[in-house]
Amino acid sequence: MPNARTANAVRLEFAPDSLVQSNLSGAAFTGDWLWVAGDEACGLDRLRLLAPVGREALRFGEVRDFPLADLLDLPGTAGEEADLEGMAVADGYLWLVGSHGLKRKNAKPDRDHADNAKRLSKVALDGNRRLLACLPIEPDAKGEPCLVRQAKDGRRALRLKGDAQTNLLTRALADDPHFGPYLAIPGKDNGFDIEGLAVDGRRLLLGLRGPVLRGWSALLEVAVETRGDQLRLAPLDDSGTLIRKHFLQLDGLGVRDLHFSGDDLYILAGPTMVLNGDIRVFKWPAARPLLAANREPVRFESALTESVPLPHGRGTNRAEAICDLPPALSGGKARWLVLYDAPGADRKEGEHTVFGDLLRHD
């Protein structure tokens, strides 16, 4: 029971068959409604603000599932996980991105050495992992925000052109000297792994958990446009640049989530590989106007400030999602909602309730 955490605890109540429960990896708000994604599902959950039942700060529940197969023509099958890692709400859309990374089978304690050796050699790519998409948000007859394939005003659910193996982003990176070689390495091995997403108009920032190169983590900046029934990469400038690279000094940590708050960019950072270690929030002051004015294809940024360290456990309580709390829910104070993957016993109540944190920020 999270009694020691009630001063800043946020209760999330899921149903037994919810798409997302204990593997939270993304969060975003539409007013009082909370959207969450997980890295082992192919869909999203929407939770309603409810009255607290204990001494927790906030409570969300009455979950509704939104399977991606109902909203998009997926590159893989409906049952294949999308490994969703980043979310953002902007201009009437919910944006989402999958890890884009390969996965390696893990050794299991009930298998013999030879079998585990075979498992550890197997690398695969689920068909929906290389997904970058935007989904229209539209109120239903009861005024509740819903994700729809096509809105009444003409907005449509769109994904970046690609198939189960590749898309326009991975094709553009294939020959990149920094990231091309890492597309063939599983994410948990310091391979290519997208875990953060921030949106500014038609420009997107993709935060990489890996690779971290000599201690430098990276953001990829791209622009997208609608062409037909798909998203395409659009040039960022007159020279035709499709991807800008921003290397950040995060003390060797990789990006776990991104979030704009005003002009500042906040970066949730943690270990890039399967390690128990520091998880911290960094602030990039005035990042939004700087990025809008920048024309350099590659730049290095070390003028970041460390905002706050976050708690973590050993194999549990890994902070994976961060987003601003809407002013109506925060009492006028600047607060983050932080959600955790693999919640420990102190962050669970029963089988279907987990707890996140509220944190103050400047």
Side-chain angles (χ1 to χ4, degrees):
M1 294 287 288
N3 293 331
R5 310 185 61 79
T6 51
N8 67 337
V10 178
R11 177 190 291 259
L12 275 61
E13 298 172 351
F14 294 93
D17 57 350
S18 295
L19 287 170
V20 182
Q21 291 193 44
S22 61
N23 56 322
L24 300 173
S25 59
F29 278 98
T30 303
D32 292 348
W33 303 81
L34 174 63
W35 304 94
V36 294
D39 57 15
E40 295 179 9
C42 192
L44 305 132
D45 280 351
R46 186 201 68 190
L47 294 89
R48 176 199 294 270
L49 177 68
L50 301 173
V53 296
R55 292 165 48 222
E56 70 267 7
L58 290 170
R59 172 187 170 217
F60 295 90
E62 296 184 8
V63 66
R64 177 176 170 182
D65 294 335
F66 288 88
L68 291 184
D70 294 347
L71 302 165
L72 293 164
D73 296 325
L74 295 171
T77 65
E80 286 184 287
E81 70 175 45
D83 199 18
L84 298 178
E85 296 287 358
M87 294 173 59
V89 170
D91 301 323
Y93 288 93
L94 191 149
W95 290 82
L96 54 88
V97 66
S99 70
H100 282 62
L102 302 175
K103 64 179 185 180
R104 184 186 300 279
K105 281 187 175 290
N106 199 0
K108 290 190 172 182
D110 61 341
R111 306 293 182 91
D112 62 31
H113 298 298
D115 193 18
N116 275 330
K118 291 179 182 177
R119 288 181 59 84
L120 206 59
S121 70
K122 291 182 179 179
V123 174
L125 173 66
D126 289 330
N128 294 324
R129 283 187 164 222
R130 291 181 169 171
L131 186 70
L132 174 62
C134 61
L135 308 172
I137 303 172
E138 183 174 66
D140 64 10
K142 296 184 290 184
E144 300 177 357
C146 296
L147 301 177
V148 297
R149 186 177 278 261
Q150 179 152 349
K152 294 182 178 65
D153 61 8
R155 289 173 297 129
R156 292 175 294 157
L158 302 165
R159 67 175 175 88
L160 189 67
K161 183 180 179 181
D163 55 32
Q165 295 297 317
T166 185
N167 65 13
L168 295 181
L169 177 64
T170 57
R171 291 173 198 167
L173 288 169
D175 296 324
D176 183 85
H178 296 113
F179 304 113
Y182 289 88
L183 290 171
I185 300 174
K188 296 295 192 295
D189 299 345
N190 197 38
F192 190 80
D193 188 1
I194 298 173
E195 289 216 359
L197 171 66
V199 179
D200 185 15
R202 71 186 191 103
R203 291 187 303 120
L204 311 178
L205 292 178
L206 307 173
L208 302 187
R209 176 175 175 175
V212 172
L213 305 177
R214 285 303 296 264
W216 292 91
S217 61
L219 305 181
L220 303 180
E221 179 186 353
V222 299
V224 293
E225 63 184 5
T226 302
R227 194 177 304 170
D229 57 355
Q230 295 176 317
L231 293 175
R232 304 291 183 100
L233 295 183
L236 287 160
D237 52 40
D238 293 339
S239 64
T241 302
L242 292 180
I243 300 174
R244 291 195 185 114
K245 297 178 283 190
H246 305 273
F247 288 99
L248 310 180
Q249 187 50 249
L250 303 178
D251 295 341
L253 301 176
V255 176
R256 294 295 184 91
D257 205 1
L258 298 173
H259 190 80
F260 275 119
S261 182
D263 283 343
D264 302 327
L265 182 68
Y266 285 83
I267 303 149
L268 179 64
T272 182
M273 299 176 71
V274 185
L275 298 170
N276 298 303
D278 287 349
I279 299 178
R280 296 182 244 164
V281 179
F282 291 82
K283 176 182 176 182
W284 184 354
R288 193 191 295 266
L290 188 153
L291 290 166
N294 174 63
R295 294 297 178 268
E296 295 290 339
V298 182
R299 61 183 311 280
F300 289 76
E301 182 62 53
S302 56
L304 306 177
T305 59
E306 186 176 334
S307 177
V308 62
L310 295 176
H312 62 86
R314 188 171 182 82
T316 63
N317 295 336
R318 298 185 293 257
E320 292 257 345
I322 189 170
C323 64
D324 254 335
L325 205 64
L329 302 183
S330 65
K333 300 176 182 178
R335 293 183 183 272
W336 295 120
L337 170 64
V338 180
L339 301 180
Y340 297 80
D341 188 15
D346 60 330
R347 293 193 177 278
K348 297 178 73 174
E349 185 175 291
E351 292 296 319
H352 310 297
T353 297
V354 297
F355 289 82
D357 286 333
L358 288 185
L359 299 177
R360 292 184 181 179
H361 71 86
D362 54 5

